[in-house]
Amino acid sequence: MSDKVRIAIAGCGGISYAHTNGYKILLENGIDNFQITATCDVDKARAERSADTIKQFQGGNRPVVYTDFEQLANDKVADAVDICSSVSSHHTIALTAIKNGMHATIEKPFAITAKAGLKIVQTAEKMGKVIAISENARFSKGVRMARWALDQDYIGEQQMMVFGSTGAQVWYPDKIVAGTPWRHDKMIAGAGSVLDLGSHSFDLIRYLCGEVEEVYGVTKVLLPFRTSKNEKGEIIQKVPSNVDDIAFSVLKFKSGAIGMFGTGWGGHGEATGFQDGFTIQASKGSMKDAAGNPRITLDDGTKIDVPLKFNESVSAEMKERLFTKGIGDTFALELFEFIHAIQTGEKPDNHGWHGLQDIAIAYAITESSWSNLPVKIEDVISGKVDGYQKELNDKYGLD
């Protein structure tokens, strides 16, 4: 495809602002192989605001506004959709898009259940459409440099990893997370922190450490209610919470390595985490802060500053491939990858399969906690294990 890719944005709430800014950054850097031709949201005012914002940086071209995505798809006003709606609608919008000949990229978490995610990936494959996960964490400079260093075999064969924290103190001890009550309702959110926050983490873990084979995990609802308060500290909203506030797990990788992982948005006092960030131990040394400013220490005491080594060693061509036009914004980079895949027919680095694997690990932890047994990732994807997810699959007609 040589013409510009026509893109629709479905869901014009909070996370869509990061996406529209990503498109703006691409245009500012001379990447204009796309045009945003439509916005869609059940709240028309939000879709209108999004269209107005896009018009300002898109040379006066204002997207058409919709409140019904099926109508948008039927009108053939876009070649692809960028899905930024709530997780419960991801699979319905994606499947509608794919069946109407559109490509799709989906914000994390990929889908409401593993079965929903599998259906998206399989349908896209059958229809020959690009399906991507809008998972921006793997596009950060530190993470990409860490992956490069691991590929150079500086630290050898991976043996163990640790990653995670107790969560975000800004939501302690009982605040409604991100001001969005739906995040605490299983039937809308799917799961809590292990899915919402964990999606980022599991994508990083898989990107740097390889595929997870099995988990043993526990999740816990710390508080039955979440609140928002006014400036006087008076409760103005109180919502029930039936999804996990915290989750911890032991991971077994297909490579034979093992790991510890924790996440959460609940707690009291002060948040905490592993002292050295995402740490990987291997047969020749270790890498600390792998998701931020990675640094290596070898068994003989040699220290390697990964960003410095990367900048000294990597060709201009590779740097351009990893950080197109020197762009550092991770949303812009993930969207460029999606558009590039549509135009070239190449499989994107953020293929939807990764999104499916990410949520499968999250749900494997919830299923393990549900059954108090270890759970294999492949059994979650196949639907063999779905005790926790069953009522979700029933609600959304996914059985």
Side-chain angles (χ1 to χ4, degrees), residues 251-392:
L251 312 177
K252 291 175 62 178
F253 293 87
K254 289 185 177 180
S255 66
I258 59 173
M260 293 191 301
F261 171 75
T263 193
W265 54 40
H268 297 267
E270 188 175 12
T272 190
F274 294 111
Q275 180 179 352
D276 299 307
F278 189 166
T279 295
I280 301 169
Q281 295 273 350
S283 59
K284 296 191 291 188
S286 65
M287 178 185 289
K288 293 184 176 181
D289 198 15
N293 184 31
R295 57 194 186 276
I296 287 172
T297 301
L298 302 181
D299 286 343
D300 64 4
T302 300
K303 305 285 187 180
I304 300 175
D305 181 318
V306 173
L308 180 62
K309 194 73 171 178
F310 177 91
N311 288 322
E312 290 176 346
S313 307
V314 172
S315 68
E317 290 78 12
M318 179 177 283
K319 288 176 182 177
E320 174 63 18
R321 178 66 187 95
L322 294 176
F323 310 110
T324 303
K325 303 285 188 180
I327 294 171
D329 184 86
T330 55
F331 287 92
L333 291 173
E334 73 177 16
L335 294 168
F336 173 81
E337 184 77 8
F338 174 55
I339 297 165
H340 179 78
I342 294 171
Q343 292 198 308
T344 64
E346 297 175 7
K347 191 173 185 178
D349 190 47
N350 55 338
H351 190 273
W353 181 86
H354 293 298
L356 172 58
Q357 291 286 327
D358 297 339
I359 66 168
I361 299 172
Y363 276 122
I365 293 172
T366 63
E367 297 290 359
S368 179
S369 187
W370 179 272
S371 66
N372 197 30
L373 293 169
V375 171
K376 293 187 180 298
I377 307 306
E378 64 183 28
D379 288 343
V380 173
I381 293 175
S382 70
K384 181 179 178 180
V385 175
D386 74 341
Y388 174 90
Q389 296 170 87
K390 188 177 187 311
E391 63 178 335
L392 290 164

Side-chain angles (χ1 to χ4, degrees), residues 149-171:
L150 292 168
D151 289 341
Q152 308 314 302
D153 197 36
Y154 288 131
I155 64 173
E157 183 179 347
Q158 293 190 30
Q159 297 173 334
M160 65 189 85
M161 57 72 62
V162 294
F163 184 33
S165 68
T166 58
Q169 194 172 348
V170 68
W171 298 323

Side-chain angles (χ1 to χ4, degrees), residues 39-229:
T39 60
C40 183
D41 197 288
V42 291
D43 182 340
K44 187 177 181 181
R46 287 196 303 206
E48 295 280 5
R49 285 195 297 270
S50 181
D52 288 339
T53 298
I54 293 163
K55 178 183 176 182
Q56 291 177 13
F57 66 75
Q58 198 172 246
N61 294 313
R62 190 176 191 271
V64 181
V65 171
Y66 288 84
T67 57
D68 181 354
F69 183 76
E70 190 167 352
Q71 184 63 54
L72 184 159
N74 288 337
D75 285 351
K76 309 297 182 186
V77 296
D79 307 304
V81 60
D82 183 350
I83 301 173
C84 299
S85 59
S86 59
V87 63
S88 60
S89 63
H90 285 183
H91 67 286
T92 55
I93 294 175
L95 292 171
T96 297
I98 294 165
K99 290 173 182 177
N100 278 274
M102 299 169 71
H103 309 279
T105 185
I106 306 174
E107 247 301 328
K108 66 88 193 166
F110 190 60
I112 190 68
T113 67
K115 281 187 177 181
L118 181 61
K119 190 171 184 179
I120 294 170
V121 172
Q122 289 179 333
T123 304
E125 186 176 87
K126 180 181 178 180
M127 299 292 289
K129 298 301 173 183
V130 174
I131 185 71
I133 174 68
S134 290
E135 179 48 72
N136 65 309
R138 67 166 54 203
F139 290 91
S140 72
K141 286 187 176 180
V143 171
R144 294 235 145 174
M145 290 175 180
R147 181 63 264 170
W148 169 82
L150 292 168
D151 289 341
Q152 308 314 302
D153 197 36
Y154 288 131
I155 64 173
E157 183 179 347
Q158 293 190 30
Q159 297 173 334
M160 65 189 85
M161 57 72 62
V162 294
F163 184 33
S165 68
T166 58
Q169 194 172 348
V170 68
W171 298 323
Y172 283 11
D174 64 347
K175 296 185 181 70
I176 295 172
V177 172
T180 48
W182 63 264
R183 278 187 165 87
H184 303 288
D185 183 344
K186 176 181 176 179
M187 301 312 292
I188 300 175
S193 61
V194 73
L195 182 65
D196 192 77
L197 300 179
S199 295
H200 282 309
S201 301
F202 301 135
D203 199 65
L204 291 180
I205 288 170
R206 293 178 47 258
Y207 185 63
L208 296 180
C209 301
E211 296 305 331
V212 178
E213 181 176 44
E214 184 178 74
V215 305
Y216 183 78
V218 291
T219 65
K220 189 172 181 64
V221 181
L222 296 180
L223 298 170
F225 291 94
R226 288 264 168 177
T227 68
S228 60
K229 300 177 182 178

